[in-house]
Amino acid sequence: MSLYSCLFSLTSFSILFGIVNAQTNGISLRDKMEEMEHIWVDNAGINSDGFVNAVTPCSNYVGFASDATDRGEQSSAQWVRVAFHDFVTGNLSTGLGGLDASVGFEVARPGNEGLFINDTLQFMLPTVTAYLSMSDNIALGVIASVAECGGTSTGILPKVGRIDADGAASGLVPVPATSLENTLAQFEAAGFDQSDTIALTACGHSLGRVHYSNNPTIVNESYVTSTNLDGGEEFDSTPAVFDSTVVNEYLNGTGQRGGPLVTAPLVADRSDLRLYVSDDNATVESISEESAFQTKCTNLFQRMIDTVPAAVTLSDPITPMTWKAVDLMLDISTAGVVSISGLIRNLYTTTAPPDTVSYTTTSSGTNSTAQTSSTTSGNGTSIFGSTIYWPFNNTLNSPGTTSLNFETITYPVDDTLFILPSQSTVNSSTNEIVLRAAALTSSASGTTMTGVFYVPTSQTGTITKKITNTTLEMSSYGTAGNYTLFEGSATVSQSTSIVAKVLLGGVGSQTVKTKIFVGGV
Ligand SMILES: *[C@@H]1O[C@H](CO)[C@@H](O)[C@H](O)[C@H]1NC(C)=O
Ligand SMILES: *[C@@H]1O[C@H](CO)[C@@H](O)[C@H](O)[C@H]1NC(C)=O
Ligand SMILES: *[C@@H]1O[C@H](CO)[C@@H](O)[C@H](O)[C@H]1NC(C)=O
Ligand SMILES: *[C@@H]1O[C@H](CO)[C@@H](O)[C@H](O)[C@H]1NC(C)=O
Ligand SMILES: *[C@@H]1O[C@H](CO)[C@@H](O)[C@H](O)[C@H]1NC(C)=O
Ligand SMILES: *[C@@H]1O[C@H](CO)[C@@H](O)[C@H](O)[C@H]1NC(C)=O
Ligand SMILES: *[C@@H]1O[C@H](CO)[C@@H](O)[C@H](O)[C@H]1NC(C)=O
Ligand SMILES: *[C@@H]1O[C@H](CO)[C@@H](O)[C@H](O)[C@H]1NC(C)=O
Ligand SMILES: *[C@@H]1O[C@H](CO)[C@@H](O)[C@H](O)[C@H]1NC(C)=O
Ligand SMILES: *[C@@H]1O[C@H](CO)[C@@H](O)[C@H](O)[C@H]1NC(C)=O
Ligand SMILES: *[C@@H]1O[C@H](CO)[C@@H](O)[C@H](O)[C@H]1NC(C)=O
């Protein structure tokens, strides 16, 4: 299986994924996709994550170095460059590498000098969970950067399912002094031919700068000023706009004339010039017109972020959801009455949201009477429109409830085995989490329940955390109607970005974020 099998046979792989592979790490594919949708869509107001705000405006910098605003750095350019340096170590022949966050282990390599890798990984760390790997975050970072820098917001499709590497890749990153032949061989191994390589380089170099601090033979020291401490020299005169200016300035000999990797004092450092002239400027000329540039770069960036190890199967594309449920949770009263609660989100542009939303639950094949939620609890904004939220909470006809339905959406519900978020707690000073759950007594007797926390955990050699399982023994502490109640606790290495599930006789519950537990963060 090649690195690209996911691209060439998307449909059959998606089907395979749905049946066989939907739970590679015990997390449902739908939960993963909805998490990426959330990070991509919800960026102001309630339920906001703020990921996209890091590259809004395109010139913004959210790095962690001192004197951040005076460094001459730009997060959008860093995010695109991180993806580029991560993917290019992939090798189709071995099926290894590609977009897998191995770049975090490769910070000390030639070509990876500077702040861009650690800045990016550090910023994205809070959104690394069992639902979304660092490499999925890096992929989304490219999409967000292009969208916020004046490129497409819908042309590069987000997909989820990348698996982070646990060490450095064997392939190398081309550096300015790398020969044309070796540069092309490296890209060829990752699946990009000469013309792809030239265009992808120009696309990436539409944003940002080369810095004197890491490239003193390329950028003149005179670029270092009190408001440009790292001495950044732009690739083109619009470093915070994703456009074809870099190509036109190169071809016309105007402005930045293609940037420092075209004009470097040492011929050996002129890696972009070597690439651009290697096909007599044919590729750069073919993308000098703005719409051709956008189309080509959209296509190549999609291929870049979808270049993944052969073991990875990517999801179908994720599109903003008009209707979705957020923070779904079940609860149980002392009498054994089960309730379902959460928020229903509507994403809208021109069609104003309705005053009320109705929902039903399906139990033993029968739909409940429609329940109505008429009071909203907050709103937000996004690239794709405004959001508005209706809280809801209703009792279920349990056991036997299988789905929650509203508008055209149905969510699976498992009321035979479920975590009780509103009876579970997180102590964020001690990192102790108390997990409570309920299981149908008829299936719980004679079986043990185990709790699982998926915890992002520090690892040596990279800022990226690895998701490791903390398992805990759950003991029964009582009954409520048809259900037996279980409790367990564990102290974990951090109290944020954790996902929980319980297992009973090998069967898993639906997962929830411990963020929705009492005290959760
Ligand atoms: C973590 O637990 C889940 C659920 O049991 C399992 O599917 C997954 O393989 C585990 N992951 C690791 C790394 O042990
Ligand atoms: C890719 O892997 C193949 C097979 O191991 C190897 O022969 C080739 O040199 C690698 N290519 C690069 C650019 O590392
Ligand atoms: C930097 O620019 C100055 C002024 O143009 C020039 O004199 C100097 O030689 C340049 N330094 C390098 C290393 O190119
Ligand atoms: C470059 O030249 C072309 C053709 O004359 C022109 O359309 C374009 O605007 C120029 N671009 C720049 C950045 O000067
Ligand atoms: C490519 O374009 C550059 C910049 O306009 C020019 O200097 C060079 O002569 C061109 N090379 C070829 C082979 O067309
Ligand atoms: C129950 O509601 C769902 C979702 O609205 C619908 O698809 C289904 O046909 C309904 N079932 C019955 C038995 O009415
Ligand atoms: C929420 O709605 C109110 C009232 O329409 C509006 O003033 C506010 O700007 C909205 N907030 C967001 C984040 O969209
Ligand atoms: C939903 O309402 C029930 C009472 O019907 C209550 O026991 C439960 O705690 C509520 N759920 C949440 C999350 O507040
Ligand atoms: C967290 O644990 C500490 C130490 O046991 C305790 O003092 C504190 O009250 C706990 N916080 C909460 C919110 O329970
Ligand atoms: C980046 O982070 C890694 C892992 O924590 C660390 O070893 C390295 O020194 C950092 N590099 C820079 C340039 O900050
Ligand atoms: C639930 O409890 C009722 C009353 O005790 C009992 O009749 C019913 O069989 C139980 N259902 C299940 C699925 O255990």
Side-chain angles (χ1 to χ4, degrees), residues 80-164:
V80 170
R81 186 157 181 246
V82 164
F84 184 73
H85 284 225
D86 192 28
F87 116 94
V88 78
T89 59
N91 190 331
L92 294 162
S93 307
T94 58
L96 299 174
L99 206 75
D100 61 1
S102 67
V103 74
F105 294 98
E106 299 158 8
V107 175
R109 287 188 179 181
N112 285 339
E113 299 86 356
L115 302 170
F116 73 113
I117 296 175
N118 283 4
D119 271 353
T120 301
L121 301 184
Q122 189 74 47
F123 180 85
M124 293 179 178
L125 207 45
T127 40
V128 172
T129 62
Y131 297 130
L132 210 62
S133 63
M134 181 60 89
S135 28
D136 282 334
N137 273 274
I138 293 172
L140 189 60
V142 172
I143 299 173
S145 297
V146 169
E148 290 297 324
C149 295
T152 179
S153 62
T154 53
I156 311 177
L157 304 172
K159 299 172 193 170
V160 78
R162 293 171 191 79
I163 298 172
D164 291 344

Side-chain angles (χ1 to χ4, degrees), residues 360 362 365-367 405-407 409-410:
T360 64
T362 307
T366 305
N367 288 347
N405 323 298
F406 54 90
E407 297 296 328
I409 302 284
T410 286

Side-chain angles (χ1 to χ4, degrees), residues 51-63 72-84 116 119-120 123-124 138-151 203-209 211 235 238-243 301 304:
F51 183 94
V52 178
N53 297 340
V55 289
T56 315
C58 179
S59 58
N60 201 38
Y61 175 58
V62 293
E73 302 279 349
Q74 180 177 317
S75 292
S76 56
Q78 291 187 331
W79 288 11
V80 170
R81 186 157 181 246
V82 164
F84 184 73
F116 73 113
D119 271 353
T120 301
F123 180 85
M124 293 179 178
I138 293 172
L140 189 60
V142 172
I143 299 173
S145 297
V146 169
E148 290 297 324
C149 295
C203 297
H205 291 171
S206 174
L207 295 174
R209 297 162 185 80
H211 296 92
F235 284 104
T238 59
V241 184
F242 186 70
D243 64 5
F301 279 168
M304 174 174 80

Side-chain angles (χ1 to χ4, degrees), residues 329 331-333 337 339-341 393-395 422:
M329 59 173 119
D331 200 12
I332 194 166
S333 72
V337 177
S339 54
I340 187 166
S341 66
N393 182 357
N394 196 43
T395 56
S422 63

Side-chain angles (χ1 to χ4, degrees), residues 47 49 68 73 101 108 160 210 224 344:
N47 190 36
D49 175 77
E73 302 279 349
V160 78
V210 180
V224 179
I344 292 174

